[in-house]
Amino acid sequence: MRFSIPIRVYIEDTDAGGIVYYVNYLKYMERARSEFLRACGFEHRELLQQDILFVVHKSTVHYKKPATMDEALVSTLWIKNQAKVRVIFQQTIARQSDGEVLCEAENEIACVRYSDKKPQRIPAQLREGFATISGKNAQTHFESDK
Amino acid sequence: MRFSIPIRVYIEDTDAGGIVYYVNYLKYMERARSEFLRACGFEHRELLQQDILFVVHKSTVHYKKPATMDEALVSTLWIKNQAKVRVIFQQTIARQSDGEVLCEAENEIACVRYSDKKPQRIPAQLREGFATISGKNAQTHFESDK
Amino acid sequence: MRFSIPIRVYIEDTDAGGIVYYVNYLKYMERARSEFLRACGFEHRELLQQDILFVVHKSTVHYKKPATMDEALVSTLWIKNQAKVRVIFQQTIARQSDGEVLCEAENEIACVRYSDKKPQRIPAQLREGFATISGKNAQTHFESDK
Amino acid sequence: MRFSIPIRVYIEDTDAGGIVYYVNYLKYMERARSEFLRACGFEHRELLQQDILFVVHKSTVHYKKPATMDEALVSTLWIKNQAKVRVIFQQTIARQSDGEVLCEAENEIACVRYSDKKPQRIPAQLREGFATISGKNAQTHFESDK
C-alpha cells in the first residue's frame, strides 16, 4: 500500500548542472512523509507542542537519473518496517509521464522528544494512524514489533 | 486580474525561529511566476533552449507576519507593469484560512539571453501570453510600452 | 565603518541558469549579520534562550550582476540606522577579485520576542555592541534614537 | 589522509526543530568535496566547460546527533575507493569543540558528461590530483583500478 504526492520541479530546486540539485530529492521525500502524516490525522506543528519530533536517523539514497527543470514528478512512500521508536520508509521519486524511478531511498525515522532530542516511543495513536494508511502488511509489522 | 497557487509549508521551509525562513517567501513567489508562465503556455526549460532566461532584477519585500510549520498559504501575483525587457509583478503570500497577507513584494523581472546574460526583448508570443492572463489592464500597459 | 566576511559560491547556491540563485544573496547577507552579531559578542542561540529573535521586516534588493559557480565573494554590511526596535543594514555582495558589487540591499531587521513574535526593544548591551563595531556614526544614530 | 574545512551553522541551515535541517549535512559534505577539488587544482566551473560534471550516485548517511544554531563544525573527507568513473568518499561532520561526529556518510560520486549526463572516465589529471592529496592509500586504489 503506497502513498503518493505530486511534485513540480522549480528553479529553486535546480543547480548549475541544469538538473535537480541532488539533496532536494530528500526534501521531496520529506514532503511525502509530512503529507502522509497529515493524511493519518497529524501535523508536525501539533506534535511539536506535544514534545514529539521525528528526525531522520539513516538514509540510503540511490540517485539513478536526473530530473530537470519544470518536470512533473511523483513522490511515493510505503512503510517497510515499524518499531517502537523508529519507522523505515521506502521512498521513490519518479517521473509522472512514464513512471521511471529517478531516485529511490530507504529512510529510517526516529521519534524523539523535541525538548531534549532523546528517543521516545511513537505514540499509539500515531502508530495506529500509520497502520490504517499502510494496510495489512504494515499492521503485521506493527504487531510483531517487540 | 490575479493568478494564485496554493503553497504548503514544509519543514524544509522553516528555521530555528519556528517560522518560515524569510527568504523562502521569495521561493513561494517564484513558484507562482513559474506556474503563471506555464498557464501562459511556456516553461523555463524550453525558453532556456531558445536562449531566454528571466532574472529578478529588483525586489522590495515587506515581511508582515510569520507563517508557521504546516500552514496552508496562497501565493498570488498580478502584473503591475510590462515593458520591452522587464515585467513588474506585485506578489503576496497570504494565509489560506483567513486571507491575511503575511508577505508582499514587488519583483521586477528582466529578460536576458541565457548565453551571455545580456538584456533582450521579451518575445512577442510571451508578451501576448502575459496579456491574455493579465486582462485588459495589462494589455494597456503592453500597448503603452515604448 | 564596515564589516565583511568572505563567501564562496558552491553548487548548492546555483540554479539551472548557471548562476547564483538570486534568493541566496539574501542568505549571504544574513551570514554577514550573524558574524557581525558574533563579533559584537552575541550569538542567535543564546539570544533565543533570552527570548530574543531578530526577524527581517523589509528588504529592498537590487540584483546587478550574476555571481557564478566557484566565485569568491565578499559580503559587507554597515548600519544605516538604529532605533529602539529596528536596525537598518546596508549590505553588498561583491566579487573579491575586482570589488564589483553584484547585489546590494537595504535590510530592516526588527527585534521580537521569540515566544510570541511581538516587537521588543533591542537590549542595551546589544545596542552598545552594535555601536562599538559601527563606530561614531552608528553611535550618533544610537544616541538620537527616541 | 584526510581533508577538512570549517563550517559554521547559520539560520538558513536550521529548521523548526531548532537543529540543523538534516539534508543540509549533505551540503556541508559537498562543500568539502568542492574545496578538495580546488586544493587538487580544479574547479567545477572550468570542468563544466570541459563537459565534465560530477554527480552523486549513491549516499548512505547516518545522522547521529543534531548540530545546533551557531555551532562551529568540521567537514572532513577521505577517499575510500577510486575507480575509472567513480570515487567513493567517506565523509564526516563533527563538532569543532570536542570532535564528536554528528553525521557520517559514504558518498559515491560519478563523473558524467555535462552535455548528455552519460558516464565518462575521470580525466587522468584529476585522478592524479586526487592521488596527490589522498596519499599512498588512494594511489594504491588508483593503480589497482581496472
Side-chain angles (χ1 to χ4, degrees):
Chain A
M1 184 139 172
R2 300 180 173 212
F3 179 88
S4 291
I5 62 165
I7 299 279
R8 176 68 74 169
V9 177
Y10 292 112
I11 300 176
E12 65 188 85
D13 302 315
T14 60
D15 67 23
I19 52 182
V20 168
Y21 181 57
Y22 76 106
V23 309
N24 290 332
Y25 292 112
L26 300 185
K27 295 187 180 178
Y28 296 166
M29 288 179 181
E30 186 170 81
R31 290 182 200 172
R33 294 196 305 270
S34 291
E35 292 301 343
F36 172 69
L37 202 63
R38 199 174 346 266
C40 292
F42 302 94
E43 292 201 320
H44 292 293
R45 186 164 38 174
E46 67 187 81
L47 292 176
L48 280 183
Q49 284 161 7
Q50 298 170 39
D51 203 27
I52 297 166
L53 178 68
F54 285 101
V55 295
V56 180
H57 186 65
K58 277 187 196 166
S59 292
T60 304
V61 194
H62 188 173
Y63 306 95
K64 302 173 83 157
K65 291 209 172 172
T68 58
M69 184 60 217
D70 287 314
E71 217 161 8
L73 306 175
V74 180
S75 178
T76 300
L77 67 78
W78 60 102
I79 290 179
K80 187 187 172 188
N81 209 322
Q82 246 203 104
K84 285 191 187 95
V85 169
R86 293 183 186 172
V87 186
I88 298 177
F89 289 98
Q90 288 284 343
Q91 303 197 242
T92 59
I93 305 296
R95 272 199 297 257
Q96 200 177 69
S97 58
D98 61 4
E100 179 158 12
V101 173
L102 306 179
C103 178
E104 58 188 10
E106 187 170 305
N107 291 306
E108 186 179 325
I109 312 297
C111 185
V112 302
R113 285 194 300 257
Y114 174 47
S115 49
D116 64 4
K117 311 293 183 293
K118 297 283 180 199
Q120 66 174 331
R121 289 185 70 117
I122 300 170
Q125 46 173 3
L126 251 171
R127 293 165 59 111
E128 282 157 28
F130 287 171
T132 308
I133 291 276
S134 305
K136 282 215 170 61
N137 275 349
Q139 208 147 16
T140 308
H141 288 129
F142 174 72
E143 285 163 358
S144 68
D145 168 42
K146 317 250 152 43
Chain B
M1 182 135 176
R2 299 179 175 215
F3 178 87
S4 291
I5 61 163
I7 298 279
R8 176 69 73 168
V9 177
Y10 292 111
I11 301 177
E12 66 188 86
D13 302 315
T14 61
D15 67 23
I19 53 183
V20 169
Y21 181 57
Y22 76 106
V23 309
N24 290 332
Y25 292 112
L26 300 185
K27 294 187 180 179
Y28 296 167
M29 289 178 181
E30 186 170 81
R31 291 182 200 172
R33 294 197 304 273
S34 291
E35 292 300 343
F36 172 69
L37 202 64
R38 199 173 346 265
C40 292
F42 302 94
E43 293 202 317
H44 292 293
R45 188 166 34 175
E46 68 189 81
L47 291 176
L48 281 183
Q49 283 161 7
Q50 297 170 41
D51 203 26
I52 298 167
L53 178 68
F54 285 100
V55 296
V56 179
H57 186 65
K58 276 188 194 166
S59 293
T60 305
V61 195
H62 188 174
Y63 306 94
K64 305 173 82 159
K65 292 209 171 173
T68 57
M69 185 56 218
D70 287 316
E71 217 161 8
L73 306 174
V74 180
S75 178
T76 299
L77 66 79
W78 60 101
I79 290 180
K80 187 187 173 190
N81 209 321
Q82 246 203 104
K84 284 192 188 95
V85 168
R86 293 183 187 174
V87 186
I88 298 177
F89 288 98
Q90 288 284 344
Q91 302 197 242
T92 59
I93 305 296
R95 270 197 297 256
Q96 198 177 69
S97 58
D98 62 4
E100 180 157 12
V101 172
L102 306 180
C103 179
E104 59 188 8
E106 188 171 305
N107 292 305
E108 187 180 324
I109 312 296
C111 185
V112 302
R113 285 195 299 257
Y114 174 46
S115 48
D116 63 5
K117 311 293 184 292
K118 298 284 178 198
Q120 67 173 332
R121 290 186 70 117
I122 300 170
Q125 47 172 2
L126 251 170
R127 293 165 59 112
E128 281 157 28
F130 288 172
T132 309
I133 291 276
S134 305
K136 282 214 172 59
N137 275 350
Q139 210 148 16
T140 308
H141 286 129
F142 175 72
E143 285 162 358
S144 69
D145 167 43
K146 319 244 151 39
Chain C
M1 182 134 176
R2 301 180 174 213
F3 179 87
S4 292
I5 61 164
I7 299 278
R8 176 68 73 169
V9 177
Y10 292 112
I11 301 177
E12 65 187 89
D13 302 315
T14 60
D15 67 22
I19 52 182
V20 169
Y21 181 56
Y22 76 106
V23 310
N24 290 333
Y25 292 112
L26 301 184
K27 295 188 180 178
Y28 296 166
M29 288 179 181
E30 186 170 81
R31 291 182 200 172
R33 295 198 303 273
S34 291
E35 292 300 343
F36 171 68
L37 202 64
R38 198 173 349 264
C40 292
F42 302 94
E43 292 202 318
H44 292 293
R45 188 165 37 173
E46 69 188 80
L47 292 175
L48 280 182
Q49 283 161 7
Q50 297 170 42
D51 203 26
I52 298 166
L53 178 68
F54 285 101
V55 295
V56 179
H57 186 63
K58 276 187 196 167
S59 292
T60 305
V61 194
H62 188 172
Y63 306 94
K64 304 173 82 158
K65 291 211 172 171
T68 57
M69 184 59 216
D70 287 314
E71 217 161 7
L73 307 175
V74 180
S75 179
T76 300
L77 67 78
W78 60 103
I79 290 179
K80 187 186 172 189
N81 209 321
Q82 245 202 106
K84 285 192 188 94
V85 169
R86 294 184 186 172
V87 186
I88 298 177
F89 288 98
Q90 288 284 344
Q91 303 197 241
T92 59
I93 306 296
R95 272 198 297 256
Q96 200 177 68
S97 58
D98 61 4
E100 179 157 13
V101 172
L102 306 180
C103 179
E104 59 189 9
E106 187 171 305
N107 292 306
E108 187 180 324
I109 312 296
C111 185
V112 303
R113 285 194 299 258
Y114 174 46
S115 48
D116 63 5
K117 311 292 183 294
K118 298 283 181 199
Q120 67 174 332
R121 290 185 67 117
I122 300 170
Q125 47 172 1
L126 250 171
R127 293 164 59 110
E128 282 157 29
F130 287 169
T132 308
I133 291 276
S134 305
K136 280 214 171 63
N137 274 350
Q139 209 146 17
T140 309
H141 287 130
F142 175 72
E143 285 162 359
S144 68
D145 168 43
K146 325 238 150 38
Chain D
M1 185 139 173
R2 299 180 174 215
F3 179 87
S4 291
I5 62 166
I7 299 279
R8 176 68 74 168
V9 177
Y10 293 111
I11 301 177
E12 65 188 87
D13 302 315
T14 60
D15 66 23
I19 52 182
V20 169
Y21 180 56
Y22 77 105
V23 310
N24 290 332
Y25 292 112
L26 300 185
K27 294 187 180 179
Y28 297 166
M29 288 178 182
E30 186 170 80
R31 290 182 201 172
R33 294 197 304 272
S34 291
E35 291 301 344
F36 172 68
L37 202 62
R38 199 175 345 266
C40 292
F42 302 94
E43 292 201 318
H44 291 294
R45 189 167 33 176
E46 69 188 80
L47 292 176
L48 281 182
Q49 283 160 7
Q50 297 169 40
D51 203 27
I52 297 167
L53 179 68
F54 285 101
V55 295
V56 179
H57 186 64
K58 278 189 195 165
S59 292
T60 304
V61 195
H62 188 175
Y63 306 94
K64 303 174 82 156
K65 292 209 171 173
T68 58
M69 184 58 218
D70 287 315
E71 217 160 8
L73 305 175
V74 180
S75 178
T76 300
L77 67 77
W78 61 102
I79 290 179
K80 187 186 172 191
N81 209 321
Q82 247 203 104
K84 284 190 189 96
V85 168
R86 293 184 186 171
V87 186
I88 298 177
F89 288 98
Q90 287 285 342
Q91 302 197 241
T92 59
I93 304 297
R95 270 197 299 254
Q96 198 177 70
S97 59
D98 61 5
E100 180 158 12
V101 172
L102 306 179
C103 178
E104 58 188 9
E106 187 170 305
N107 292 305
E108 186 179 325
I109 312 297
C111 185
V112 303
R113 285 194 299 258
Y114 174 46
S115 48
D116 63 5
K117 311 294 184 293
K118 298 285 179 197
Q120 66 174 331
R121 288 186 71 117
I122 301 170
Q125 46 172 2
L126 252 170
R127 293 166 58 113
E128 281 157 30
F130 287 172
T132 308
I133 290 277
S134 305
K136 282 214 172 61
N137 274 350
Q139 208 148 15
T140 308
H141 287 127
F142 175 72
E143 285 163 358
S144 68
D145 168 42
K146 315 252 152 39

